[in-house]
Amino acid sequence: MSTAVKPFSSFEMAQSQFDHVAEVLDLDEGACDLLRNPLREFSFAIPTRMDDGTIKIFRGFRVQHNDARGPSKGGLRFHPMETLDMVRALAMWMTWKCAVVDIPLGGGKGGVVCDPHNLSLGEQERICRGFVRQMGRNMGPALDVPAPDVMTSAQHMLWMLDEFEAIHGSHQPGFITGKPVGIGGSQGRTEATGYGVMFTVREALRDLDIRIEGTSASFQGFGNVSQYAVRLYREMGGTPVCVSCWDQRDGTSYAYTKRSGIDVDELLTVTDRFGGINRPEAERLGYKVLPGDDWISQDVDILVPAALENQVTAENVLRVGPRVKVIAEGANGPTSPEADRVIHERGIYMIPDLLANAGGVTCSYFEQVQSNMNFYWDKDEVLGKLDAKMTSAYMSVSDLARKRGIYMREAAYLIAVDRVVRACRDRGWV
Ligand code: NAD
């Protein structure tokens, strides 16, 4: 008898979340079969010339989970541990995320198995162009629109856009989002996901009758999402006391704490472009350095996992501090189903990923609208529209959760899946 432990599968987790909602909504077999798997998926090789003249083959994936409500939309990750399983899960979550904030887009996701830490900018550019050469026929403003994600940036998006436009012989700024401002990018996109997380935290605290000024929070990650979430949280009057990040020099993570409050601008002076903090420099700035996992056991009111998937698990969920009242999932899929049950039983107010981190895709949608019109809004207009959209999505989810006496995650899923199923039915797919 084999005693091998089955490896964690994000896609199986995404499917089991869907199965539960399908049961509650009493979906028929056709709808279940359609939605628990992607509509289309692509797995391909990207031959790339390296700086030393050799050719290296990188593996690329793109999954289009469902596009009944509009073109597929979703980020593109560069990560050495990227798998098709992970990309499938993320694509499915994107379908629900677009539906919960009620934007007319479907769900997609992509990835390339590579580690940008060990690649020159020229090599990264050639991977981006190679990705578009492989996928160009199956992507585009009306088909599937990528965006930045883990370890990809506005620069990567611009290289991809340039390749796409070269292939098509025309300007197509609506092909991709997360572009640099001034070359088709939207004001506010960089801030959007982190700010969106905090708009939902603000509303949750209001629902719980807690004044944000008296609260403190701990964040996992110090990349794009976390940096802006920490910044806005502090501007709104809260005290961020901990962030954690990956240290590529010794291949482990560390938590950085300051009880008087983290100053983002100060910490950014010792942070690299991957969200990695320089340990000795941070200590010099007065930060206490702890093992990476300690972000979860801080004595705070709010936890924001904003690094990676599967970070709050059966193994560490009992370390969540007794004072924690709200968890806002900045990352995608950071909480395992076992840990989620414990959090639910403890009565902690969970703002689930598909709602909490939907600010990024919402602003990407604004960017696409602006790109297609070739008319760009100022930052206040973008952030005002973002706040309105996030707040209204939060209200719908919290209203349903309250009315039915259900967990916020379940309420968000019910709203999202119901909207997608209706679109599939109206189109006559199921
Ligand atoms: P990023 O690459 O900018 O930052 C990731 C951060 O996590 C870095 O600080 C890194 O050091 C840290 N990290 C990595 N492994 C860690 C570990 N084991 N322990 C502690 N810290 C660790 O990525 P990002 O754009 O901020 O994305 C973070 C998460 O949010 C991902 O799950 C992503 O899918 C999700 N997300 C991002 C966006 C977006 O617009 N950027 C939108 C929605 C969801």
Side-chain angles (χ1 to χ4, degrees):
M1 197 174 71
S2 162
T3 54
V5 180
K6 192 165 172 275
F8 172 79
S9 159
S10 295
F11 185 51
E12 282 176 19
M13 171 173 145
Q15 284 186 315
S16 81
Q17 289 165 337
F18 168 75
D19 291 344
H20 171 70
V21 182
E23 212 177 295
V24 177
L25 289 174
D26 197 20
L27 293 187
D28 57 60
E29 206 183 320
C32 289
D33 275 357
L34 179 71
L35 290 170
R36 74 192 302 283
N37 288 296
L39 267 186
R40 288 175 284 276
E41 56 186 45
F42 306 85
S43 168
F44 45 90
I46 306 174
T48 306
R49 186 166 298 282
M50 308 302 281
D51 289 348
D52 65 6
T54 58
I55 296 285
K56 202 166 164 190
I57 311 298
F58 292 91
R59 199 78 218 154
F61 308 115
R62 185 77 190 171
V63 173
Q64 296 162 353
H65 171 258
N66 190 280
D67 55 13
R69 287 173 47 86
S72 303
K73 185 86 193 77
L76 184 59
R77 294 176 156 201
F78 280 3
H79 199 279
M81 310 296 280
E82 195 59 283
T83 61
L84 185 53
D85 178 272
M86 188 69 231
V87 177
R88 283 178 180 142
L90 290 162
M92 189 191 270
W93 288 326
M94 282 305 294
T95 303
W96 313 140
K97 199 180 297 187
C98 293
V100 86
V101 282
D102 205 9
I103 54 180
L105 296 169
K109 203 80 181 186
V112 178
V113 186
C114 70
D115 187 351
H117 292 101
N118 308 324
L119 295 166
S120 71
L121 283 180
E123 289 164 344
Q124 293 180 48
E125 175 178 350
R126 293 191 285 278
I127 293 176
C128 287
R129 292 184 185 278
F131 188 98
V132 174
R133 283 200 298 277
Q134 290 291 5
M135 272 303 296
R137 280 181 299 275
N138 297 294
M139 299 183 99
L143 290 173
D144 181 6
V145 183
D149 203 280
V150 175
M151 289 202 268
T152 54
S153 66
Q155 176 64 76
H156 297 97
M157 300 305 110
L158 192 53
W159 286 325
M160 290 194 170
L161 176 68
D162 188 65
E163 189 68 24
F164 188 81
E165 292 183 339
I167 292 169
H168 288 267
S170 62
H171 280 289
Q172 307 246 356
F175 159 63
I176 206 158
T177 62
K179 303 181 290 296
V181 172
I183 319 183
S186 174
Q187 297 282 354
R189 175 62 187 88
T190 320
E191 294 89 342
T193 308
Y195 275 24
V197 172
M198 278 306 139
F199 293 147
T200 64
V201 168
R202 179 195 65 203
E203 295 306 310
L205 292 176
R206 202 171 282 165
D207 271 355
L208 296 170
D209 213 11
I210 298 171
R211 288 185 64 242
I212 199 164
E213 289 83 359
T215 63
S216 57
S218 174
F219 298 74
Q220 190 192 31
F222 194 56
N224 173 261
V225 178
S226 181
Q227 286 168 17
Y228 285 98
V230 174
R231 188 185 287 280
L232 185 60
Y233 175 61
R234 189 145 197 194
E235 280 170 23
M236 292 191 307
T239 311
V241 295
C242 177
V243 296
S244 70
C245 68
W246 187 252
D247 193 325
Q248 55 132 345
R249 284 164 307 182
D250 55 9
T252 185
S253 63
Y254 293 95
Y256 298 82
T257 66
K258 205 181 228 186
R259 292 309 300 182
S260 60
I262 282 158
D263 177 337
V264 174
D265 289 323
E266 177 192 65
L267 202 49
L268 280 178
T269 62
V270 297
T271 304
D272 65 26
R273 66 197 161 95
F274 302 107
I277 296 168
N278 181 309
R279 224 170 343 129
E281 294 284 314
E283 278 175 319
R284 203 176 46 75
L285 292 172
Y287 288 85
K288 195 167 155 194
V289 184
L290 302 170
D293 258 8
D294 283 8
W295 73 276
I296 206 170
S297 54
Q298 295 296 306
D299 182 29
V300 290
D301 307 279
I302 301 161
L303 287 180
V304 183
L308 285 178
E309 60 287 339
N310 199 33
Q311 294 299 304
V312 184
T313 62
E315 285 73 50
N316 65 9
V317 67
L318 296 177
R319 294 186 63 205
V320 170
R323 211 150 62 81
V324 171
K325 296 171 195 74
V326 175
I327 298 180
E329 295 184 321
N332 287 312
T335 312
S336 75
E338 301 79 27
D340 206 31
R341 273 192 287 279
V342 175
I343 290 165
H344 189 16
E345 278 159 24
R346 265 189 59 181
I348 296 174
Y349 196 89
M350 167 65 78
I351 313 176
D353 51 2
L354 70 160
L355 173 64
N357 70 33
V361 72
T362 303
C363 197
S364 279
Y365 163 59
F366 295 158
E367 178 177 333
Q368 213 205 359
V369 170
Q370 295 168 81
S371 288
N372 290 339
M373 292 191 298
N374 208 8
F375 177 76
Y376 291 85
W377 311 328
D378 66 29
K379 195 181 214 167
D380 285 348
E381 186 170 359
V382 174
L383 293 177
K385 283 182 160 69
L386 179 69
D387 194 348
K389 202 80 180 131
M390 292 300 293
T391 303
S392 128
Y394 172 90
M395 299 284 190
S396 317
V397 175
S398 73
D399 279 355
L400 184 68
R402 208 175 11 253
K403 274 191 202 121
R404 305 255 299 246
I406 54 176
Y407 196 42
M408 283 285 280
R409 192 186 305 282
E410 184 169 7
Y413 265 97
L414 285 175
I415 290 174
V417 174
D418 184 57
R419 284 181 180 154
V420 177
V421 170
R422 275 169 202 271
C424 294
R425 280 207 189 113
D426 291 349
R427 284 176 180 274
W429 291 359
V430 290

